Amino acid sequence: MRRLLSFAIALVMVLSMVPAVSFAAEVRTVYWDPTSGADTNGLEEASPVQSVAAAYGALDGADEGNIILLSTLTLTEATTFPACDIPVTLTSKTGSEGIKSSKNIFFGGDTTLENMTLTVAADNNTTYLSGEGHDLTIGS
């Protein structure tokens, strides 16, 4: 019994010297140009994606996502952004007018709109901006 206790104490001491391993969260940035992009990987500003599906698809495997909108996104029909299990920040690059919409916008995951102009011109006096049960944060 004494031998077992000594072994347990020695094991605890050895394990306490092993450094804890921590992994940094992967934050992936995707460039999105709904006007002149092409649905490639979008990981460089010189080769942005064009569709919202490609922008969100490029986030697969990341822990957090940043999507940078390079040109104005004009929505003429109700739009649902794809479901996403990671928090996503949508940012508008200087020179872009951000998002212009006359219809409802639904976000399929935790979303932050940052450095973004959101222009809503309802054609029926009502337009919804919805997080669909997720966190929707509107920054500056």
Side-chain angles (χ1 to χ4, degrees):
M1 184 67 161
R2 189 175 224 189
R3 207 177 232 178
L4 182 60
L5 183 58
S6 295
F7 177 75
I9 291 171
L11 182 62
V12 168
M13 289 175 59
V14 168
L15 290 177
S16 68
M17 290 188 247
V18 176
V21 178
S22 65
F23 298 96
E26 181 189 355
V27 180
R28 186 169 303 154
T29 299
V30 176
Y31 296 90
W32 178 23
D33 189 337
T35 304
S36 62
D39 286 343
T40 56
N41 69 10
L43 300 179
E44 296 177 11
E45 188 171 350
S47 59
V49 295
Q50 185 173 31
S51 70
V52 66
Y56 276 80
L59 297 175
D60 283 348
D63 298 310
E64 294 179 42
N66 292 324
I67 298 176
I68 299 176
L69 187 59
L70 300 177
S71 66
T72 304
L73 173 62
T74 303
L75 303 173
T76 57
E77 57 188 52
T79 301
T80 300
F81 283 69
C84 193
D85 294 333
I86 62 171
V88 175
T89 299
L90 285 172
T91 304
S92 180
K93 184 169 178 162
T94 303
S96 166
E97 295 180 50
I99 300 174
K100 291 182 169 186
S101 180
S102 60
K103 301 294 183 183
N104 300 331
I105 304 172
F106 305 100
F107 295 95
D110 292 347
T111 304
T112 299
L113 300 177
E114 190 69 48
N115 192 35
M116 171 82 59
T117 300
L118 180 61
T119 306
V120 179
D123 56 4
N124 62 356
N125 294 328
T126 305
T127 296
Y128 296 101
L129 185 63
S130 173
E132 294 295 281
H134 300 281
D135 292 338
L136 178 58
T137 306
I138 300 176
S140 58

mmCIF file of all heavy atoms in Angstrom, residues 110-129:
data_model
loop_
_atom_site.group_PDB
_atom_site.id
_atom_site.type_symbol
_atom_site.label_atom_id
_atom_site.label_comp_id
_atom_site.label_asym_id
_atom_site.label_seq_id
_atom_site.Cartn_x
_atom_site.Cartn_y
_atom_site.Cartn_z
ATOM 1 N N ASP A 110 -24.327 33.766 -34.493
ATOM 2 C CA ASP A 110 -23.909 34.952 -33.749
ATOM 3 C C ASP A 110 -23.155 35.877 -34.693
ATOM 4 O O ASP A 110 -22.150 35.487 -35.293
ATOM 5 C CB ASP A 110 -23.001 34.568 -32.573
ATOM 6 C CG ASP A 110 -23.744 33.803 -31.493
ATOM 7 O OD1 ASP A 110 -24.994 33.773 -31.529
ATOM 8 O OD2 ASP A 110 -23.080 33.253 -30.601
ATOM 9 N N THR A 111 -23.657 37.099 -34.847
ATOM 10 C CA THR A 111 -23.113 38.030 -35.832
ATOM 11 C C THR A 111 -22.913 39.402 -35.216
ATOM 12 O O THR A 111 -23.762 39.887 -34.472
ATOM 13 C CB THR A 111 -24.071 38.162 -37.036
ATOM 14 O OG1 THR A 111 -24.310 36.865 -37.584
ATOM 15 C CG2 THR A 111 -23.500 39.065 -38.116
ATOM 16 N N THR A 112 -21.773 40.017 -35.565
ATOM 17 C CA THR A 112 -21.506 41.399 -35.189
ATOM 18 C C THR A 112 -21.326 42.199 -36.467
ATOM 19 O O THR A 112 -20.563 41.799 -37.353
ATOM 20 C CB THR A 112 -20.224 41.507 -34.333
ATOM 21 O OG1 THR A 112 -20.401 40.757 -33.138
ATOM 22 C CG2 THR A 112 -19.914 42.951 -33.976
ATOM 23 N N LEU A 113 -22.047 43.305 -36.572
ATOM 24 C CA LEU A 113 -21.864 44.225 -37.688
ATOM 25 C C LEU A 113 -20.984 45.346 -37.165
ATOM 26 O O LEU A 113 -21.367 46.062 -36.239
ATOM 27 C CB LEU A 113 -23.209 44.775 -38.170
ATOM 28 C CG LEU A 113 -24.227 43.744 -38.655
ATOM 29 C CD1 LEU A 113 -25.528 44.427 -39.035
ATOM 30 C CD2 LEU A 113 -23.681 42.945 -39.816
ATOM 31 N N GLU A 114 -19.808 45.499 -37.741
ATOM 32 C CA GLU A 114 -18.828 46.464 -37.242
ATOM 33 C C GLU A 114 -18.325 47.316 -38.398
ATOM 34 O O GLU A 114 -18.080 46.793 -39.490
ATOM 35 C CB GLU A 114 -17.657 45.708 -36.590
ATOM 36 C CG GLU A 114 -16.706 46.567 -35.836
ATOM 37 C CD GLU A 114 -17.311 47.156 -34.579
ATOM 38 O OE1 GLU A 114 -17.937 46.420 -33.802
ATOM 39 O OE2 GLU A 114 -17.154 48.370 -34.379
ATOM 40 N N ASN A 115 -18.189 48.626 -38.156
ATOM 41 C CA ASN A 115 -17.698 49.545 -39.186
ATOM 42 C C ASN A 115 -18.528 49.370 -40.451
ATOM 43 O O ASN A 115 -18.006 49.199 -41.550
ATOM 44 C CB ASN A 115 -16.208 49.299 -39.470
ATOM 45 C CG ASN A 115 -15.607 50.413 -40.301
ATOM 46 O OD1 ASN A 115 -15.983 51.568 -40.155
ATOM 47 N ND2 ASN A 115 -14.699 50.065 -41.188
ATOM 48 N N MET A 116 -19.830 49.378 -40.285
ATOM 49 C CA MET A 116 -20.753 49.018 -41.354
ATOM 50 C C MET A 116 -21.875 50.047 -41.419
ATOM 51 O O MET A 116 -22.426 50.423 -40.392
ATOM 52 C CB MET A 116 -21.335 47.636 -41.040
ATOM 53 C CG MET A 116 -22.458 47.169 -41.909
ATOM 54 S SD MET A 116 -21.939 46.459 -43.459
ATOM 55 C CE MET A 116 -20.899 45.115 -42.951
ATOM 56 N N THR A 117 -22.190 50.486 -42.630
ATOM 57 C CA THR A 117 -23.384 51.301 -42.836
ATOM 58 C C THR A 117 -24.490 50.352 -43.253
ATOM 59 O O THR A 117 -24.324 49.570 -44.188
ATOM 60 C CB THR A 117 -23.157 52.364 -43.929
ATOM 61 O OG1 THR A 117 -22.086 53.202 -43.519
ATOM 62 C CG2 THR A 117 -24.403 53.189 -44.154
ATOM 63 N N LEU A 118 -25.582 50.401 -42.540
ATOM 64 C CA LEU A 118 -26.737 49.559 -42.850
ATOM 65 C C LEU A 118 -27.875 50.490 -43.234
ATOM 66 O O LEU A 118 -28.401 51.223 -42.393
ATOM 67 C CB LEU A 118 -27.113 48.702 -41.638
ATOM 68 C CG LEU A 118 -28.288 47.758 -41.781
ATOM 69 C CD1 LEU A 118 -28.031 46.733 -42.887
ATOM 70 C CD2 LEU A 118 -28.544 47.045 -40.469
ATOM 71 N N THR A 119 -28.233 50.484 -44.518
ATOM 72 C CA THR A 119 -29.294 51.344 -45.019
ATOM 73 C C THR A 119 -30.503 50.476 -45.305
ATOM 74 O O THR A 119 -30.437 49.552 -46.117
ATOM 75 C CB THR A 119 -28.854 52.067 -46.313
ATOM 76 O OG1 THR A 119 -27.627 52.743 -46.058
ATOM 77 C CG2 THR A 119 -29.912 53.051 -46.760
ATOM 78 N N VAL A 120 -31.597 50.771 -44.603
ATOM 79 C CA VAL A 120 -32.813 49.989 -44.769
ATOM 80 C C VAL A 120 -33.908 50.913 -45.289
ATOM 81 O O VAL A 120 -34.245 51.904 -44.648
ATOM 82 C CB VAL A 120 -33.250 49.342 -43.431
ATOM 83 C CG1 VAL A 120 -34.530 48.558 -43.611
ATOM 84 C CG2 VAL A 120 -32.143 48.460 -42.896
ATOM 85 N N ALA A 121 -34.408 50.601 -46.460
ATOM 86 C CA ALA A 121 -35.483 51.376 -47.069
ATOM 87 C C ALA A 121 -36.652 50.439 -47.300
ATOM 88 O O ALA A 121 -36.706 49.745 -48.312
ATOM 89 C CB ALA A 121 -35.015 52.002 -48.381
ATOM 90 N N ALA A 122 -37.540 50.374 -46.340
ATOM 91 C CA ALA A 122 -38.655 49.430 -46.420
ATOM 92 C C ALA A 122 -39.675 49.887 -47.447
ATOM 93 O O ALA A 122 -40.083 51.035 -47.459
ATOM 94 C CB ALA A 122 -39.322 49.302 -45.055
ATOM 95 N N ASP A 123 -40.076 48.967 -48.304
ATOM 96 C CA ASP A 123 -41.093 49.313 -49.287
ATOM 97 C C ASP A 123 -42.510 49.117 -48.734
ATOM 98 O O ASP A 123 -43.472 49.492 -49.358
ATOM 99 C CB ASP A 123 -40.885 48.526 -50.587
ATOM 100 C CG ASP A 123 -40.865 47.024 -50.375
ATOM 101 O OD1 ASP A 123 -41.086 46.558 -49.249
ATOM 102 O OD2 ASP A 123 -40.611 46.308 -51.362
ATOM 103 N N ASN A 124 -42.606 48.528 -47.547
ATOM 104 C CA ASN A 124 -43.923 48.325 -46.935
ATOM 105 C C ASN A 124 -43.956 48.885 -45.512
ATOM 106 O O ASN A 124 -44.763 48.470 -44.700
ATOM 107 C CB ASN A 124 -44.291 46.844 -46.934
ATOM 108 C CG ASN A 124 -43.314 46.023 -46.104
ATOM 109 O OD1 ASN A 124 -42.325 46.545 -45.590
ATOM 110 N ND2 ASN A 124 -43.608 44.754 -45.958
ATOM 111 N N ASN A 125 -43.051 49.801 -45.215
ATOM 112 C CA ASN A 125 -42.919 50.441 -43.903
ATOM 113 C C ASN A 125 -42.442 49.503 -42.805
ATOM 114 O O ASN A 125 -42.399 49.884 -41.651
ATOM 115 C CB ASN A 125 -44.233 51.109 -43.472
ATOM 116 C CG ASN A 125 -44.585 52.260 -44.374
ATOM 117 O OD1 ASN A 125 -43.704 52.927 -44.895
ATOM 118 N ND2 ASN A 125 -45.863 52.493 -44.583
ATOM 119 N N THR A 126 -42.094 48.265 -43.138
ATOM 120 C CA THR A 126 -41.591 47.329 -42.139
ATOM 121 C C THR A 126 -40.477 46.482 -42.744
ATOM 122 O O THR A 126 -40.675 45.833 -43.762
ATOM 123 C CB THR A 126 -42.703 46.375 -41.647
ATOM 124 O OG1 THR A 126 -43.786 47.141 -41.170
ATOM 125 C CG2 THR A 126 -42.193 45.473 -40.547
ATOM 126 N N THR A 127 -39.330 46.513 -42.113
ATOM 127 C CA THR A 127 -38.223 45.650 -42.504
ATOM 128 C C THR A 127 -37.620 45.084 -41.233
ATOM 129 O O THR A 127 -37.407 45.818 -40.271
ATOM 130 C CB THR A 127 -37.156 46.415 -43.307
ATOM 131 O OG1 THR A 127 -37.734 46.854 -44.534
ATOM 132 C CG2 THR A 127 -35.968 45.529 -43.627
ATOM 133 N N TYR A 128 -37.365 43.784 -41.212
ATOM 134 C CA TYR A 128 -36.817 43.129 -40.030
ATOM 135 C C TYR A 128 -35.332 42.854 -40.197
ATOM 136 O O TYR A 128 -34.879 42.463 -41.265
ATOM 137 C CB TYR A 128 -37.521 41.790 -39.778
ATOM 138 C CG TYR A 128 -38.978 41.924 -39.464
ATOM 139 C CD1 TYR A 128 -39.933 41.678 -40.449
ATOM 140 C CD2 TYR A 128 -39.416 42.299 -38.199
ATOM 141 C CE1 TYR A 128 -41.285 41.809 -40.173
ATOM 142 C CE2 TYR A 128 -40.758 42.434 -37.923
ATOM 143 C CZ TYR A 128 -41.680 42.197 -38.911
ATOM 144 O OH TYR A 128 -43.013 42.327 -38.636
ATOM 145 N N LEU A 129 -34.630 43.029 -39.116
ATOM 146 C CA LEU A 129 -33.238 42.630 -39.009
ATOM 147 C C LEU A 129 -33.230 41.664 -37.840
ATOM 148 O O LEU A 129 -33.513 42.056 -36.714
ATOM 149 C CB LEU A 129 -32.373 43.861 -38.727
ATOM 150 C CG LEU A 129 -30.880 43.683 -38.693
ATOM 151 C CD1 LEU A 129 -30.369 43.239 -40.063
ATOM 152 C CD2 LEU A 129 -30.213 44.990 -38.295
#
